[in-house]
Short mmCIF file of all heavy atoms in Angstrom, two decimals:
data_model
loop_
_atom_site.label_atom_id
_atom_site.label_comp_id
_atom_site.label_asym_id
_atom_site.label_seq_id
_atom_site.Cartn_x
_atom_site.Cartn_y
_atom_site.Cartn_z
N CYS A 125 1.15 14.52 17.48
CA CYS A 125 2.59 14.48 17.76
C CYS A 125 2.92 13.66 19.00
O CYS A 125 2.22 13.73 20.01
CB CYS A 125 3.12 15.89 17.96
SG CYS A 125 2.79 17.00 16.58
N ILE A 126 4.00 12.90 18.88
CA ILE A 126 4.53 12.10 19.99
C ILE A 126 6.04 12.23 19.99
O ILE A 126 6.62 12.66 18.99
CB ILE A 126 4.14 10.61 19.83
CG1 ILE A 126 4.64 10.10 18.47
CG2 ILE A 126 2.63 10.42 19.93
CD1 ILE A 126 4.45 8.62 18.26
N GLY A 127 6.68 11.88 21.10
CA GLY A 127 8.14 11.92 21.10
C GLY A 127 8.71 11.99 22.50
O GLY A 127 8.08 12.50 23.42
N GLU A 128 9.93 11.46 22.63
CA GLU A 128 10.58 11.37 23.94
C GLU A 128 11.54 12.53 24.17
O GLU A 128 12.07 13.11 23.23
CB GLU A 128 11.33 10.03 24.06
CG GLU A 128 12.72 9.99 23.43
CD GLU A 128 12.74 9.88 21.90
OE1 GLU A 128 11.67 9.95 21.27
OE2 GLU A 128 13.84 9.75 21.34
N LYS A 129 11.76 12.86 25.45
CA LYS A 129 12.74 13.87 25.83
C LYS A 129 14.13 13.21 25.91
O LYS A 129 14.25 11.98 25.91
CB LYS A 129 12.36 14.50 27.17
CG LYS A 129 11.04 15.26 27.12
CD LYS A 129 10.76 16.05 28.39
CE LYS A 129 10.71 15.17 29.61
NZ LYS A 129 9.72 15.58 30.60
N LEU A 130 15.16 14.05 26.02
CA LEU A 130 16.54 13.52 26.02
C LEU A 130 16.78 12.56 27.18
O LEU A 130 17.35 11.48 27.00
CB LEU A 130 17.55 14.68 26.07
CG LEU A 130 19.02 14.26 25.97
CD1 LEU A 130 19.30 13.51 24.66
CD2 LEU A 130 19.94 15.47 26.08
N ASP A 131 16.30 12.93 28.39
CA ASP A 131 16.55 12.05 29.54
C ASP A 131 15.85 10.70 29.37
O ASP A 131 16.34 9.67 29.83
CB ASP A 131 16.15 12.73 30.86
CG ASP A 131 14.69 13.17 30.91
OD1 ASP A 131 14.06 13.30 29.84
OD2 ASP A 131 14.16 13.38 32.01
N GLU A 132 14.72 10.71 28.67
CA GLU A 132 13.98 9.47 28.44
C GLU A 132 14.72 8.58 27.43
O GLU A 132 14.81 7.37 27.61
CB GLU A 132 12.56 9.79 27.96
CG GLU A 132 11.72 10.45 29.05
CD GLU A 132 10.44 11.11 28.55
OE1 GLU A 132 10.34 11.45 27.35
OE2 GLU A 132 9.53 11.31 29.38
N ARG A 133 15.29 9.21 26.39
CA ARG A 133 16.08 8.42 25.43
C ARG A 133 17.30 7.84 26.13
O ARG A 133 17.64 6.67 25.96
CB ARG A 133 16.50 9.27 24.23
CG ARG A 133 17.42 8.50 23.26
CD ARG A 133 17.54 9.15 21.90
NE ARG A 133 16.43 8.80 21.02
CZ ARG A 133 16.43 7.77 20.18
NH1 ARG A 133 17.46 6.95 20.10
NH2 ARG A 133 15.38 7.54 19.42
N GLU A 134 17.97 8.67 26.94
CA GLU A 134 19.19 8.20 27.61
C GLU A 134 18.90 7.12 28.64
O GLU A 134 19.75 6.28 28.92
CB GLU A 134 19.93 9.40 28.24
CG GLU A 134 20.57 10.29 27.17
CD GLU A 134 21.22 11.54 27.71
OE1 GLU A 134 20.91 11.94 28.86
OE2 GLU A 134 22.03 12.14 26.97
N ALA A 135 17.68 7.14 29.19
CA ALA A 135 17.29 6.10 30.15
C ALA A 135 16.81 4.82 29.46
O ALA A 135 16.48 3.84 30.12
CB ALA A 135 16.18 6.64 31.07
N GLY A 136 16.77 4.87 28.11
CA GLY A 136 16.38 3.69 27.36
C GLY A 136 14.89 3.41 27.34
O GLY A 136 14.46 2.28 27.13
N ILE A 137 14.07 4.46 27.59
CA ILE A 137 12.61 4.23 27.65
C ILE A 137 11.86 4.93 26.50
O ILE A 137 10.66 5.19 26.60
CB ILE A 137 12.02 4.67 29.02
CG1 ILE A 137 12.31 6.15 29.32
CG2 ILE A 137 12.53 3.76 30.13
CD1 ILE A 137 11.54 6.70 30.51
N THR A 138 12.57 5.18 25.40
CA THR A 138 11.94 5.81 24.24
C THR A 138 10.65 5.10 23.84
O THR A 138 9.60 5.71 23.70
CB THR A 138 12.91 5.85 23.04
OG1 THR A 138 14.00 6.72 23.37
CG2 THR A 138 12.22 6.38 21.79
N GLU A 139 10.76 3.77 23.65
CA GLU A 139 9.59 3.01 23.19
C GLU A 139 8.44 3.12 24.18
O GLU A 139 7.29 3.34 23.79
CB GLU A 139 9.95 1.53 22.99
CG GLU A 139 10.73 1.28 21.72
CD GLU A 139 11.18 -0.17 21.62
OE1 GLU A 139 10.39 -1.08 21.95
OE2 GLU A 139 12.34 -0.39 21.23
N LYS A 140 8.72 2.95 25.45
CA LYS A 140 7.69 3.02 26.48
C LYS A 140 6.95 4.37 26.40
O LYS A 140 5.71 4.42 26.41
CB LYS A 140 8.33 2.85 27.86
CG LYS A 140 7.37 2.96 29.04
CD LYS A 140 8.11 2.68 30.35
CE LYS A 140 7.17 2.76 31.55
NZ LYS A 140 6.80 4.16 31.87
N VAL A 141 7.72 5.45 26.28
CA VAL A 141 7.13 6.79 26.25
C VAL A 141 6.26 6.99 25.00
O VAL A 141 5.10 7.40 25.09
CB VAL A 141 8.23 7.88 26.31
CG1 VAL A 141 7.65 9.27 26.05
CG2 VAL A 141 8.94 7.84 27.66
#
Side-chain angles (χ1 to χ4, degrees):
C125 304
I126 56 174
E128 83 284 6
K129 296 188 301 216
L130 185 59
D131 57 341
E132 292 165 338
R133 175 163 278 269
E134 289 175 342
I137 57 169
T138 294
E139 284 175 42
K140 178 177 181 287
V141 171

